[in-house]
Amino acid sequence: MKLDQFSLLDDSSCDARIVAAKALLGKRLAILGHHYQRNEVFKHADYSGDSLKLSQQAANSDAEFIVFCGVHFMAEVADILTFGERKVILPDLAAGCSMADMANLVKVRKCWDELSQVIDPDQTVTPVTYINSAADLKAFCGNHGGIVCTSSNAKAVLEWSFSRREKVLFFPDQHLGRNTGFRMGIPLEQMVTWDFMKPRGGLTEEQIRNARIILWKGFCSVHQMFQPAHIDNFRKANPNGKVISHPENAWEVCQKSDFVGSTEYILRTVRASQPGDHWLVGTELNLVNRLADEMKPKGVTVQFMSPTVCMCSTMFRTDPQHLAWCLDNLVAGQVVNQIKVPPNIADPARKALDLMLEVVD
Ligand code: 13P
Ligand code: SF4
């Protein structure tokens, strides 16, 4: 079945096909949905969660087919953690992550080589990659005594890393690294930013020697939309209001927030609030809108942090048409858009991911 046949179907026809395919495939199928997915897709997920929860779900799944409604690196993780024994499907192969694309193996190897002209990174630096990264970067960490983290367990992962080596190279998200390091009491001056476009990251030898964390200069294009002024304006209008942000936000935004945590943490915290509470939430629009709808009948208001509409455009790529297309193909015995990580990358990447799953906050 070709995708073109589904592209012009309306959402309700796709819904009917998705529901029918799920009934036919039964326990052979598990649909995982990240919190940033749009409602039309999210409602079909068997399991929802943040990156950590979905990784754990994938690792424990015994379904033959795992359809990942999320982005590419998440499907790779599911394939790695299931030893390639399940068929992991990404409904739209163009669903990537612009932050993950800001680091690649060539640039990270170059960074490691340049660091070794100043210090001995294999003795002194733990490489830590955020789960939002390609599988070969997770493999790099696995091969160099490093580890993967998510926004849920970044603090515990950094503590683990510092118990082994004195410094951390953190990629690709500078903000998660900086916010977490600061929370652990590391001063900003000891967290330097590695500009991968400049020789030796644009840093002096002294800056490298004095650094506790070397932060890759990557960021999330969605979270960079949130500004400290948005929080100031909210507080003026709602003096008793509370602000909660994802740690991919800039340090200045997190500093002005009352709570900082992963998507799962944000949901848990806001859901525990009292009638009359007002929230400003600094994370992706689909999650915030869904949470606002859920909390409204409980007398809790939830406001999106930015005055402009910004959502994760790659998460948005997964639509009912793509989901119906891949499920109909599964029913017909054809696997489309399978994500397979070759063993020479999957094995060392699994080493770093297994450590991540052991080190949970
Ligand atoms: P979570 O780990 O909180 O789900 O975040 C993933 C992500 O991509 C946020 O931009
Ligand atoms: Fe990547 Fe940002 Fe989208 Fe998360 S919200 S998947 S970090 S681009």
Side-chain angles (χ1 to χ4, degrees), residues 131-163:
I131 194 164
N132 296 37
S133 57
D136 55 4
L137 290 182
K138 295 181 175 86
F140 177 91
C141 289
N143 285 328
H144 289 83
I147 185 167
V148 180
C149 78
T150 71
S151 54
S152 292
N153 70 355
K155 183 167 171 280
V157 165
L158 286 190
E159 280 161 0
W160 178 95
S161 307
F162 285 125
S163 72

Side-chain angles (χ1 to χ4, degrees), residues 34 36 51 70-74 95-102 130 132 173 219-224 246 248 283-284 311-316:
H34 188 269
Y36 292 169
S51 307
V71 289
H72 191 269
F73 71 81
M74 297 180 180
C97 164
S98 55
M99 174 210 280
D101 292 343
M102 288 177 193
Y130 187 21
N132 296 37
D173 184 24
F219 60 88
C220 165
S221 47
V222 177
H223 290 87
Q224 72 159 355
H246 195 279
E248 285 175 18
T283 197
E284 209 270 345
M311 59 178 92
C312 177
S313 56
T314 47
M315 285 275 183
F316 193 73

Side-chain angles (χ1 to χ4, degrees), residues 161-175:
S161 307
F162 285 125
S163 72
R164 276 153 183 80
R165 296 177 189 165
E166 67 195 56
K167 295 181 197 293
V168 161
L169 171 64
F170 191 95
F171 44 88
D173 184 24
Q174 57 174 305
H175 299 302

